[in-house]
């Protein structure tokens, strides 16, 4: 069900059968005749039964995907008025958050922040990839990459590998999912050395727009808002991320 007020019959009521109440009190029948009359009035088709498992799929326009700690929740807070839990450890977000981004012409775009994905999520590593159902129907994907994972001697996953891992996981979840209009957000551009990593990412990844931001200080966020809007409106010729266009 995808629209408010939508109706769906999940179990059909029975046909006929008027019940005892339909036999007037003033009708005097012998016991035998009464039973016959009750049977006659009650007999028709029984209703159907069904057992339902309902699964909620959030409906958002933009889905933020990224490794844990990339800054997805910080970015959603910067884009919208959502106030979210943000912390310096993996898997801070354990359920999806939705925030609204409103443009000057009052277009409101819903952005979903889901728990971080890691390589092997489709084999249930990390929190698994069940959360991807919440971004299954988004129009636009925004990959949030962390520029700081290898700075200051850290031994994290460089952003181009983060991107490749995310694309692989999304494709495992649903083939063709990464073909929808996409952009890349390179976060933590404020960190020393992040600019060079951002430049390297631009050399290694072709075909989708890349927006450097510092989600924490909301820098680069206005340009990102415009970029998201362009993809929503399909202003240019939007593309998804193509694995063959990532050099790792
Ligand atoms: N230097 C810097 N740190 C940032 C920036 N944005 C977020 N952070 C920090 O990165 C850490 C993770 O931020 P979150 O927004 O919780 O990251 P997340 O991607 O939602 O993480 P999960 O919910 O675990 O998947 C926090 O300590 C943030 O303060 C940024 O622009 N610059
Ligand atoms: Mg989070």
């Amino acid at each position: 069900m995808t629209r408010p007020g939508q109706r769906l019959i999940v179990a059909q009521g029975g046909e006929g059968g008027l019940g005892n109440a339909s036999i007037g009190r003033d009708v005097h029948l012998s016991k035998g005749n009464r039973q016959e009359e009750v049977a006659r009035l009650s007999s028709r088709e029984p209703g159907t039964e069904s057992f339902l498992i309902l699964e909620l799929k959030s409906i958002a326009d933009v889905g933020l995907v990224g490794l844990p700690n990339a800054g997805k929740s910080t970015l959603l807070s910067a884009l919208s008025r959502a106030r979210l839990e943000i912390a310096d450890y993996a898997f801070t977000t354990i359920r999806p958050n939705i925030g609204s981004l409103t443009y000057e012409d009052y277009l409101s775009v819903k952005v979903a922040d889901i728990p971080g994905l890691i390589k092997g999520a489709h084999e249930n590593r990390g929190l698994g990839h069940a959360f991807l159902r919440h971004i299954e129907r988004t129009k636009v994907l925004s990959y949030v990459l962390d520029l700081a994972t290898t700075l200051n001697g850290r031994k994290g996953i460089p952003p181009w590998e983060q991107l490749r891992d995310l694309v692989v996981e999304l494709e495992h979840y649903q083939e063709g999912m990464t073909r929808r209009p996409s952009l890349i957000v390179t976060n933590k551009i404020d960190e020393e050395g992040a600019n060079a990593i951002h430049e390297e990412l631009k050399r290694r990844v072709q075909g989708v727009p890349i927006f450097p931001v510092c989600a924490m200080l909301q820098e680069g966020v206005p340009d990102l808002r415009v970029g998201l809007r362009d993809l929503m409106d399909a202003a240019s010729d939007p593309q998804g991320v193509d694995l063959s266009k990532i050099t790792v």
Side-chain angles (χ1 to χ4, degrees):
M1 303 191 67
T2 51
R3 283 175 280 116
Q6 195 176 344
R7 288 170 178 228
L8 180 74
I9 295 171
V10 294
Q12 192 76 49
E15 276 276 358
L18 297 172
N20 295 356
S22 61
I23 304 174
R25 282 207 181 151
D26 48 345
V27 180
H28 296 288
L29 296 167
S30 70
K31 198 176 171 196
N33 284 351
R34 177 170 286 274
Q35 277 171 350
E36 245 174 58
E37 186 64 0
V38 167
R40 189 182 70 79
L41 291 171
S42 310
S43 74
R44 286 309 260 280
E45 292 299 307
T48 53
E49 279 182 30
S50 47
F51 178 75
L52 304 174
I53 296 176
L54 301 179
E55 185 179 84
L56 175 70
K57 289 184 182 175
S58 314
I59 301 178
D61 305 295
V62 177
L64 301 181
V65 285
L67 266 62
N69 219 42
K72 300 174 293 301
S73 301
T74 311
L75 183 63
L76 181 57
S77 304
L79 282 168
S80 69
R81 276 194 227 132
R83 287 295 154 258
L84 308 169
E85 199 180 338
I86 291 163
D88 190 16
Y89 53 81
F91 304 117
T92 305
T93 303
I94 53 168
R95 57 178 66 89
N97 300 304
I98 306 231
S100 295
L101 203 169
T102 310
Y103 289 90
E104 287 68 28
D105 60 357
Y106 300 108
L107 176 83
S108 169
V109 168
K110 288 204 167 54
V111 182
D113 161 34
I114 59 168
L117 277 175
I118 58 170
K119 189 175 177 178
H122 69 282
E123 291 160 340
N124 245 342
R125 288 190 58 208
L127 294 180
H129 68 182
F131 289 108
L132 288 176
R133 70 175 186 268
H134 294 283
I135 57 160
E136 217 178 284
R137 300 185 193 157
T138 60
K139 296 193 188 92
V140 169
L141 287 176
S142 167
Y143 295 88
V144 183
L145 308 181
D146 186 342
L147 290 172
T149 48
T150 56
L151 299 176
N152 296 320
R154 294 187 199 113
K155 301 247 175 326
I157 304 167
W160 37 94
E161 285 183 30
Q162 296 171 34
L163 181 65
R164 180 204 53 195
D165 293 350
L166 291 166
V167 169
V168 168
E169 291 306 323
L170 261 54
E171 284 297 314
H172 264 295
Y173 177 76
Q174 189 182 71
E175 216 184 303
M177 192 167 178
T178 60
R179 265 182 263 148
R180 76 188 62 172
S182 303
L183 58 74
I184 293 171
V185 177
T186 51
N187 190 29
K188 311 194 186 178
I189 194 78
D190 54 298
E191 294 241 357
E192 203 177 331
N195 255 318
I197 307 280
H198 169 75
E199 290 303 321
E200 185 166 356
L201 181 88
K202 283 204 295 188
R203 283 192 296 273
R204 287 175 179 263
V205 178
Q206 308 299 320
V208 283
I210 305 178
F211 293 85
V213 304
C214 167
M216 207 166 59
L217 303 175
Q218 311 201 353
E219 283 170 17
V221 172
D223 284 350
L224 174 61
R225 281 169 58 100
V226 175
L228 287 171
R229 180 72 193 257
D230 284 350
L231 284 190
M232 294 289 302
D233 296 347
S236 48
D237 180 22
Q239 296 182 14
V241 175
D242 186 344
L243 266 186
S244 68
K245 291 187 180 162
I246 307 175
T247 315
V248 291

